[in-house]
Amino acid sequence: MNELATQHAANKATLEHIEATLSPSPPPPPPPAAVPNPLLSRGKLKPAKKSKPTKPKKKAADAAEVERIKADELGVVSAGIGYSDHGVADGEEGEVLDLADRLLEQLHAQEQAESASSASVASGSAPSATLVPSEAAPPPSKASSTPRDTLHDLKEDMLGMLHIGGHGSGNGNGEKKVSRQQARKLRKVQQVDDAKSAAQAEVDAANDTSIADERKSIDEGCKRLGVWVKEIEPDGHCLYSAIADQVNILQLTLNDRKETYSSVRSYAAQYMRAHPDDFLPFLETPEDRLMTPAEYENYCHTVEKTGEWGGQPEIIALSKYFRAPIHVLLAGTDVVKTGEDLPPGRGPILLSYHRKMYGLGEIAKAVSTASGVFYPLSPQYTSDTEHYMSSSQQDPACVFEAGNVQDVSEAIKIIGQARTAFAVMGGGHGSNPGWSSVGANGVHISFARMKEITLSADKKTSSEAVASAGEIRETAESTGFSALMKMCRVANTYGLTIDTVVSFQLVLPNGTITTVDSTTPDLFFGLKGAGNKLGIVTQFVLETYPQGPVNGGITAYGPDQLAALAAATTVFQETNQDKNAQIITTFNGIALVNGAILIQFYNGATPPPGTFSAFDSVTPLLGISAVKTQSFASFIEGTPSNLSSGSRGSFHTVSVTKLSKPLMDQVLNQSTFYNSIPHVRSATFLSWDVEPFLVDTYFDTATDSAFPHSSSDPWIPLNIYFAWQLESDDEYFHQALLDSAAALEATAKANGDDTEGKPLYPNYAIGSTPVERLFGANLPKLQEIVQEYDPTNIMGLAGGFQL
C-alpha cells in the first residue's frame, strides 16, 4: 500500500475511534408546539443524535482533530490524483469526508447545547425587517432581509459557511480555496441530505409555522434582544435596503457616507467577483450543475444590477465586506449568526427575516399553474399594475395573476391569515389611489388572465369574467348581443348594469366559492353597489339584449359655441322622451383652450326626425361631425375615452334632478375658471361631463340594491374629471374637484334641486366621499351584511370605501 492509501487508512481509523467514544448527542430542547423550528420542520437541518455527556475539553480536542483530518483529506483530493491509482477502491474516497462531516455536526450540536447558543442559516423568499435597540426616544431603524430559495437551498448555505474561510490551504488572507474536485466530494453529502429532506415532507406539512405564530415568535425574540422591528419594503431589494439601513445606523462606512440598496448590491457583487473560490463551488444553475466562470459573472451582474432577491451568499459577502457580523432573527429558532470569526468591535448588523408574514411565497406555492406570481422588473408585473391614471398606480410587493376561481380562493385565505394588504384590479380605470392598487407591503391581484365571455345558448344571458370593455365590444360585434356597462348609452331602456345582473360568482373573504343570485338576497343586495367589501367577484352573469346598428358619434365645438351648446343640452334634457336617444356633453379645457365634445347616440340605424334638433343651431368646430350609422362596437371604439391616459387624475360627481340654465351656466363658469390655471399648475385635461338621462323613467327597472336608486326618487350624475402631471399638484386638484362639485351643488340647490339628499355615484365619487353620501338609508343594512360575511374585516385590508 502506497503513502496515499496509508494516510487514508490512518485518517479513517482515527475518525472511527472518535466516533466510538461518542454516543448520539441529545437533541436540543424542542421549540414550543406553536412555534416549531421552521428549519427543522422543513427538513433543512438534521436533528442531532443522542450522546452521553462528554467533557468540553475532550470535545474541543476531538473537533480540532476531525477538522485536521478533513483538511488533510481535502488536500489530497485537491492534488487531482485518483484514489484508485494508489490502492484505494473507487467510491471509498468519500467515506472519510462523510464521516468527518457527521462527527463535526455531532460535536458542534453538543457544543451548542452546552453553551445555550446556536447558529443556523436562513433560506427562503420572503421579506424581512431590521432590528433596532429599544429606547424611550424613537429608536434608529432596523433592517430586513429576503434570502432567495430559488437558487440556494439551506444545505448549500451551510456548506458555504462551513468551508468558506475554514481550515486548510488558502490565499494568504485566511480565505479557503476549494477546487472543483473538492466540491464534487462535498456534493455527495448534499445528495444524501436531500434524500433525507424529501423523506420528511409529511413532517413539513404538519409542523409548518403559521403566520400568526411567526409574528408572535419574532416579537418575543425582539423583546429578548431589546430591539424593535423597522419595516423595510418587501421587494427584491429588501435585504440590501435593510443592510444599508443598519450600516448607516452603525456608521460602518467612512466620511458619513449614506449607503443605499444600490450601493450595497454593488459591494456584494464586488466582493463575490474578487473571491470566486469562496462562492463558485456552491452555486448551481437551474440544470443542477455547478456554474461556469461565465455563469458566475452573470450571477454577480444579477446581484449588482437587478431586483433579484438576496440570499445567504450575499449575506456572507456583505459581512466580509463591511467586516461586521450579520445576525438574523427568525421565528422558531435562535439568532442566525454570520461572520462571528471576524475581529470584534464592529456591528453586529441586525436583521429580522419574515418568511411568511407577507404571504408572498405562500401564494406562489398554493396556486395552480393556471396562475402566476410576479415580482418587480418582470413584464407581467409592469403590465398588470398599470392604471389609466398614473396616480392610481402603486408598486406592490408582488402581483398575483389569477387564472381561475380556485386559485383566487387559495390566495384570499393566505392573505386573510397573514393580514396582508392587497388590492383587486379589473380594468384599471378607477381614479382613487389604493382602490385597485396596493403599496410595497401588499399583494396586487390581477385578472389579466380571466377575460372569458360566453353567450348562453338562448342568447338571453352572458357569463363574463372580469372583462375589459375591449372584450365586451368584440362580443357585441361577433354575436349581435351586448351586455350593459355601468351607466351606459342604453340605460334609458334597460337601467343600470347592476339591475341586469343575474348572478355573481363570489369568493367570500374566508375563501368559500359561492354563487350569489336572488336566492341569496342579502349578498345579492350587497354586491350591487358595495364594491369590494363582500369578497372578490370573479364572474358575472348578465342579461343580454339584441344589438343592431346604431347611429352616433362625436362632434367637437370651439369656445365660441359653448354657451349655445349648454343651452341645447338643457333643451334636450327637458324635451326628449325617446329612450333610444342619449347624449353626453363634455365641457373641456386643454392647454388653456376651452372646448366641448358632444357624444350623440341613437340605439337604431336612423333616429326619427327632430330627435337631436336642439343641436342643429350649434356650429361644430370646422363644420365637421363624426355622427354616422355604424355597429355598436364601432361606436364604442370611436368614442374618446383615453385622452389623458397616463396622467395623474381623479373623478368626482354631483347628483341632480334637472339640468337648469343656471346649473349649465355654472358648469361653463367652472370650466372657464379652472382652465385658466394650467400655466400655473400642471393640468393637462379638465372636463365636466353632463349626462341627461331620462330622469323620469331610467330607474324604472331598478332592483333592490345597496346603491340607492329608484323610480320614486330619480336623479342624474354629472362627472368632473381633472388630469395633471405633477405629484406635487395632487392636493391642489383634489381640493379643486371638491370645490367645483360644491359650487355646482350650491347652484342646483339654489334653484330648487335637493342635491344633498341624492346619493353620489360610487364609480365617480372621490375617495374622501363619506359613505353616507353613497348609500344613504341603505348603509346600516349594508354594514350588517358585511359584518355577517366578513366578521374579521379581511376585505378591509383592501382599498375602497370603508364601511
Side-chain angles (χ1 to χ4, degrees):
M1 183 178 294
N2 62 25
E3 182 179 350
L4 178 61
T6 301
Q7 182 180 349
H8 170 74
N11 287 339
K12 183 177 180 181
T14 302
L15 293 179
E16 288 175 343
H17 173 74
I18 294 174
E19 184 180 35
T21 64
L22 293 174
S23 304
S25 59
V35 190
N37 186 327
L39 305 182
L40 289 174
S41 70
R42 294 189 173 276
K44 297 295 187 180
L45 292 176
K46 294 183 291 185
K49 298 179 181 179
K50 294 183 179 180
S51 97
K52 297 178 181 178
T54 308
K55 294 181 179 180
K57 288 185 179 180
K58 183 177 186 308
K59 279 189 226 174
D62 286 342
E65 181 66 5
V66 173
E67 289 276 16
R68 182 197 65 77
I69 291 173
K70 182 172 182 179
D72 187 37
E73 286 287 306
L74 286 172
V76 173
V77 173
S78 65
I81 303 171
Y83 272 68
S84 59
D85 297 334
H86 298 271
V88 180
D90 287 340
E92 190 178 342
E93 67 270 25
E95 290 184 4
V96 171
L97 292 175
D98 290 347
L99 181 55
D101 282 341
R102 288 200 305 273
L103 291 176
L104 285 174
E105 279 190 11
Q106 199 170 338
L107 289 164
H108 181 66
Q110 292 177 356
E111 214 172 88
Q112 294 281 327
E114 290 173 2
S115 63
S117 63
S118 66
S120 54
V121 179
S123 177
S125 64
S128 353
T130 310
L131 305 178
V132 191
S134 296
E135 300 173 0
S141 53
K142 46 123 188 102
S144 75
S145 81
T146 310
R148 185 195 306 112
D149 63 356
T150 57
L151 294 178
H152 318 287
D153 77 0
L154 186 60
K155 180 60 182 178
E156 287 174 311
D157 292 340
M158 292 181 67
L159 288 171
M161 292 188 72
L162 178 61
H163 295 290
I164 294 174
H167 297 277
S169 61
N171 61 5
N173 296 322
E175 296 166 347
K176 174 69 181 175
K177 287 184 176 291
V178 184
S179 71
R180 290 281 178 149
Q181 198 168 4
Q182 293 169 13
R184 292 191 196 102
K185 306 299 179 185
L186 296 174
R187 283 177 57 76
K188 290 185 178 181
V189 181
Q190 171 68 54
Q191 292 168 359
V192 173
D193 289 340
D194 284 346
K196 292 181 179 179
S197 296
Q200 294 183 6
E202 293 183 6
V203 177
D204 295 352
N207 295 336
D208 198 9
T209 307
S210 72
I211 293 160
D213 289 335
E214 179 185 66
R215 190 188 302 271
K216 179 181 178 182
S217 179
I218 289 179
D219 287 346
E220 291 173 349
C222 288
K223 290 180 181 178
R224 290 195 303 269
L225 296 173
V227 295
W228 60 279
V229 173
K230 175 186 175 183
E231 296 287 345
I232 297 293
E233 291 188 3
D235 55 15
H237 302 301
C238 60
L239 169 65
Y240 305 99
S241 296
I243 291 178
D245 186 70
Q246 285 280 287
V247 166
N248 293 334
I249 291 170
L250 298 172
Q251 299 180 337
L252 298 181
T253 56
L254 299 175
N255 303 321
D256 296 326
R257 184 176 66 240
K258 295 300 182 184
E259 304 297 353
T260 65
Y261 74 77
S262 179
S263 64
V264 172
R265 278 186 173 278
S266 180
Y267 301 149
Q270 289 174 23
Y271 187 90
M272 296 178 78
R273 287 191 181 103
H275 304 83
D277 291 341
D278 289 354
F279 301 94
L280 189 55
F282 310 105
L283 296 174
E284 287 184 350
T285 69
E287 294 78 27
D288 195 31
R289 58 174 175 78
L290 294 178
M291 289 183 180
T292 66
E295 289 168 333
Y296 180 71
E297 170 53 35
N298 185 62
Y299 178 93
C300 294
H301 175 81
T302 298
V303 170
E304 183 173 19
K305 299 296 185 182
T306 75
E308 180 66 42
W309 302 85
Q312 187 62 22
E314 291 74 38
I315 290 177
I316 293 171
L318 291 168
S319 175
K320 297 283 189 181
Y321 178 86
F322 288 111
R323 294 176 289 112
I326 296 178
H327 294 180
V328 182
L329 176 64
L330 304 95
T333 188
D334 289 333
V335 175
V336 175
K337 299 179 179 180
T338 300
E340 290 300 284
D341 57 335
L342 293 168
R346 292 172 62 85
I349 293 169
L350 298 176
L351 312 177
S352 63
Y353 171 50
H354 304 255
R355 186 182 181 281
K356 298 183 177 186
M357 197 171 291
Y358 297 96
L360 309 184
E362 298 302 305
I363 292 176
K365 290 194 303 182
V367 300
S368 72
T369 56
S371 302
V373 176
F374 302 102
Y375 298 93
L377 301 183
S378 71
Q380 294 92 335
Y381 177 97
T382 302
S383 61
D384 287 347
T385 56
E386 184 177 1
H387 282 64
Y388 174 78
M389 300 178 194
S390 61
S391 51
S392 298
Q393 184 170 321
Q394 299 184 77
D395 296 324
C398 72
V399 169
F400 166 53
E401 201 173 87
N404 56 48
V405 65
Q406 291 78 17
D407 287 347
V408 175
S409 171
E410 291 297 325
I412 194 62
K413 285 187 284 189
I414 292 168
I415 287 169
Q417 185 184 27
R419 307 300 300 179
T420 297
F422 72 102
V424 181
M425 176 175 156
H429 204 264
S431 71
N432 291 316
W435 262 229
S436 56
S437 63
V438 67
N441 291 329
V443 178
H444 178 100
I445 300 178
S446 165
F447 287 98
R449 301 189 187 196
M450 297 178 66
K451 294 185 176 181
E452 302 83 5
I453 300 178
T454 305
L455 188 65
S456 65
D458 60 8
K459 298 186 177 182
K460 291 184 178 180
T461 62
S462 64
S463 174
E464 305 180 6
V466 188
S468 68
E471 283 71 26
I472 296 177
R473 288 196 297 270
E474 292 169 5
T475 302
E477 183 76 36
S478 61
T479 65
F481 285 76
S482 68
L484 307 189
M485 295 181 290
K486 304 177 183 177
M487 286 187 165
C488 65
R489 309 297 180 267
V490 292
N492 284 335
T493 303
Y494 303 116
L496 304 186
T497 305
I498 57 174
D499 299 323
T500 70
V501 176
V502 176
S503 67
F504 301 90
Q505 183 183 70
L506 176 69
V507 180
L508 287 165
N510 65 5
T512 300
I513 302 170
T514 187
T515 297
V516 178
D517 55 22
S518 59
T519 65
T520 51
D522 283 350
L523 276 176
F524 203 41
F525 168 90
L527 286 176
K528 290 186 289 184
N532 60 358
K533 296 299 106 177
L534 286 166
I536 300 174
V537 174
T538 55
Q539 188 179 71
F540 308 84
V541 175
L542 303 174
E543 296 174 357
T544 55
Y545 308 99
Q547 185 62 64
V550 303
N551 181 273
I554 65 172
T555 305
Y557 298 90
D560 61 323
Q561 297 295 309
L562 299 185
L565 180 64
T569 300
T570 297
V571 170
F572 178 83
Q573 195 259 332
E574 291 175 345
T575 61
N576 176 54
Q577 295 299 314
D578 189 336
K579 290 185 176 182
N580 290 318
Q582 173 62 12
I583 66 166
I584 299 179
T585 307
T586 71
F587 296 90
N588 309 315
I590 304 176
L592 300 178
V593 177
N594 282 328
I597 292 175
L598 176 68
I599 304 174
Q600 181 178 311
F601 174 84
Y602 191 82
N603 194 20
T606 306
T611 301
F612 299 103
S613 60
F615 303 97
D616 290 348
S617 61
V618 188
T619 304
L621 187 66
L622 302 178
I624 299 173
S625 174
V627 175
K628 62 182 180 180
T629 299
Q630 56 190 312
S631 70
F632 181 74
S634 175
F635 167 79
I636 296 294
E637 192 68 37
T639 302
S641 59
N642 60 348
L643 292 178
S644 58
S645 177
S647 296
R648 306 182 72 78
S650 188
F651 298 134
H652 198 25
T653 188
V654 176
S655 297
V656 298
T657 60
K658 57 185 178 181
L659 300 177
S660 64
K661 183 180 185 304
L663 180 64
M664 294 304 298
D665 288 344
Q666 182 63 268
V667 169
L668 283 179
N669 177 58
Q670 293 291 305
S671 174
T672 302
F673 171 75
Y674 282 105
N675 194 41
S676 68
I677 59 175
H679 65 289
V680 178
R681 299 286 178 171
S682 60
T684 57
F685 185 73
L686 308 174
S687 183
W688 287 256
D689 305 336
V690 181
E691 305 177 72
F693 294 102
L694 283 177
V695 69
D696 293 331
T697 62
Y698 90 114
F699 282 166
D700 286 352
T701 58
T703 59
D704 192 24
S705 308
F707 177 57
H709 61 293
S710 69
S711 58
S712 63
D713 188 18
W715 48 267
I716 54 179
L718 276 68
N719 181 34
I720 311 170
Y721 169 38
F722 288 178
W724 62 94
Q725 290 295 329
L726 300 179
E727 184 177 357
S728 58
D729 284 342
D730 285 0
E731 184 176 351
Y732 174 85
F733 282 109
H734 283 153
Q735 186 59 49
L737 282 163
L738 294 170
D739 292 344
S740 183
L744 293 172
E745 280 196 343
T747 299
K749 188 174 181 180
N751 285 273
D753 202 338
D754 181 20
T755 60
E756 292 183 0
K758 308 304 179 194
L760 298 181
Y761 183 43
N763 281 359
Y764 293 165
I766 199 169
S768 58
T769 303
V771 291
E772 291 79 6
R773 286 300 310 272
L774 304 177
F775 304 109
N778 289 347
L779 181 60
K781 178 180 178 179
L782 179 58
Q783 290 172 328
E784 290 180 3
I785 295 170
V786 170
Q787 177 61 30
E788 178 181 355
Y789 287 95
D790 189 15
T792 59
N793 196 29
I794 290 171
M795 299 311 298
L797 299 167
F801 292 106
Q802 300 299 320
L803 302 178

